[in-house]
Amino acid sequence: MYYWRDLADVPEGFGPAVVTIGNFDGVHRGHQSVLQQLVEAARERDAAAVVISFEPHPAQVHRPESAPELIMGLQDRVETLADTGIDGLLMMHYTLDLAAQTPEEFVRSVLVDGLRAKAVVIGHDVRFGRGNSGDLSTMQALGNQLGFDVIVIDDFGSNLQGKTAAAGERRCSSTWVREALVAGDVTTAARILGRPHRMRGEVVHGAARGRALGFPTANLAPESTGFIPADGIYAGWLIDSSQVRWPAAISVGSNPTFEGVSRQVEAHVIDRPVEEIDVFDLYGQTVIVEFVRRLRGMVAYRGPEALIDQMRLDVAQTRTVLSTEQRAYG
């Protein structure tokens, strides 16, 4: 996949292309449906399938105080988009100057002059250009004027089985994913995403309480990317820097059994080979933590002994969940 961070990076004469525009936070199954149709339309026209996205998220520029927490970081968004089969990704730096362009200025400079668009794939509710003044009819008029087709796609429904949402059916959306994660419902989030929700970050030193209790954990740095789900204990996976997947019991939140513990995400890798236990060191590595199922909420226990007993139960339940969990969501 071609990856450009600026329109000036697109080679002169690139194209023709079939283009879609969006933030694609989460790259959920609704997004995947759009991108599948994008690729199909590009292949039919012997053109490149290109996604235009933005960094930072426009809401972080226009209303930073109320911008939504992002489902995934930039690296995961780029890698997940690449896995959809698109040919190119233009990740435009979102600024107030870019936002000030009229719909026609944006379409002419980016879609037509920059990417030589043969077609644009958009939804019924598309908005673009200064003050979101451009809509579907604007894009269709510009297509007629500037010589590209406009392909209008339907919403992907909450039944997660087809491309079109039925009347009254909730559409697949990033908002829905966030709502599920706020509730700790990572199972529903995974069904919408088509894969387990993940975080990515460096493993840093913590208070070493888990090690002292016999359950050493990999603590993610506070600046890790990815939406932090509700406090609780989760069954999931830790993927290390060598891309080895380890089963893990994951804790999110502050441990109420101990005072003065700030909110954190930490993963206890289970079932490591005996010969690797003494040399297993993740400090300084950038790892991925995937959430498969929430096991329970956070509870304050009367002392370390009761907590250790519960942690043993959590590990056993994690092992059971991961041994039976289906990798395909749908």
Side-chain angles (χ1 to χ4, degrees):
M1 181 189 75
Y2 295 106
Y3 179 40
W4 307 296
R5 296 300 301 269
D6 189 274
L7 185 60
D9 296 334
V10 179
E12 186 176 353
F14 177 84
V18 176
V19 182
T20 193
I21 308 167
N23 293 306
F24 297 100
D25 184 27
V27 196
H28 54 63
R29 294 184 67 178
H31 294 146
Q32 293 164 34
S33 177
V34 172
L35 298 171
Q36 179 184 352
Q37 294 174 72
L38 171 75
V39 171
E40 291 172 355
R43 299 298 175 262
E44 291 170 358
R45 291 164 172 79
D46 193 24
V50 177
V51 169
I52 298 173
S53 195
F54 306 98
E55 178 68 21
H57 192 290
Q60 294 175 325
V61 174
H62 292 290
R63 44 184 180 85
E65 72 288 345
S66 60
E69 183 179 349
L70 297 181
I71 297 168
M72 56 172 36
L74 178 60
Q75 182 176 347
D76 285 299
R77 181 159 44 126
V78 172
E79 291 181 1
T80 308
L81 285 168
D83 289 340
T84 65
I86 63 173
D87 301 303
L89 170 60
L90 172 57
M91 187 68 68
M92 301 191 72
H93 181 55
Y94 193 85
T95 64
L96 292 176
D97 286 341
L98 178 62
Q101 290 186 353
T102 67
E104 182 173 351
E105 287 171 339
F106 177 80
V107 168
R108 280 186 179 275
S109 64
V110 180
L111 274 61
V112 177
D113 295 339
L115 298 171
R116 295 173 57 212
K118 272 190 174 181
V120 178
V121 177
I122 54 175
H124 293 274
D125 59 351
V126 65
R127 307 295 300 195
F128 64 100
R130 182 186 302 160
N132 279 335
S133 56
D135 57 12
L136 174 58
S137 61
T138 308
M139 187 68 80
Q140 289 171 328
L142 289 170
N144 290 332
Q145 177 185 346
L146 300 174
F148 60 82
D149 298 330
V150 175
I151 302 170
V152 184
I153 55 176
D154 294 313
D155 291 329
F156 194 86
S158 57
N159 63 19
L160 305 178
Q161 299 299 320
K163 296 179 180 178
T164 304
E169 181 184 0
R170 183 170 190 177
R171 72 185 184 95
C172 198
S173 68
S174 300
T175 298
W176 190 12
V177 175
R178 293 188 191 97
E179 290 175 1
L181 293 175
V182 166
D185 187 0
V186 295
T187 304
T188 293
R191 291 187 63 243
I192 304 167
L193 291 168
R195 62 189 182 280
H197 172 62
R198 60 169 45 183
M199 294 185 63
R200 182 190 297 262
E202 181 182 351
V203 176
V204 297
H205 289 275
R209 288 193 178 90
R211 184 175 298 277
L213 297 172
F215 297 87
T217 59
N219 299 271
L220 295 190
E223 60 271 18
S224 299
T225 60
F227 195 107
I228 303 175
D231 288 3
I233 306 300
Y234 297 82
W237 301 93
L238 183 146
I239 304 171
D240 66 22
S241 59
S242 299
Q243 300 305 302
V244 177
R245 294 173 63 87
W246 300 94
I250 306 162
S251 170
V252 177
S254 57
N255 192 325
T257 303
F258 302 97
E259 295 183 0
V261 179
S262 59
R263 193 166 189 253
Q264 56 193 21
V265 177
E266 48 188 322
H268 169 64
V269 172
I270 67 175
D271 297 338
R272 289 171 290 166
V274 174
E275 65 273 14
E276 295 190 22
I277 289 179
D278 291 336
V279 298
F280 192 75
D281 185 1
L282 297 172
Y283 290 121
Q285 289 192 32
T286 296
V287 302
I288 294 169
V289 172
E290 292 185 343
F291 300 84
V292 172
R293 187 184 302 176
R294 190 172 191 244
L295 304 181
R296 62 176 176 88
M298 281 294 188
V299 179
Y301 293 92
R302 295 185 176 181
E305 293 79 10
L307 176 59
I308 289 171
D309 289 341
Q310 180 60 59
M311 292 169 76
R312 290 192 181 115
L313 293 175
D314 294 337
V315 167
Q317 191 174 359
T318 294
R319 189 178 293 114
T320 299
V321 166
L322 297 180
S323 67
T324 58
E325 188 71 23
Q326 294 181 351
R327 294 292 183 86
Y329 295 87

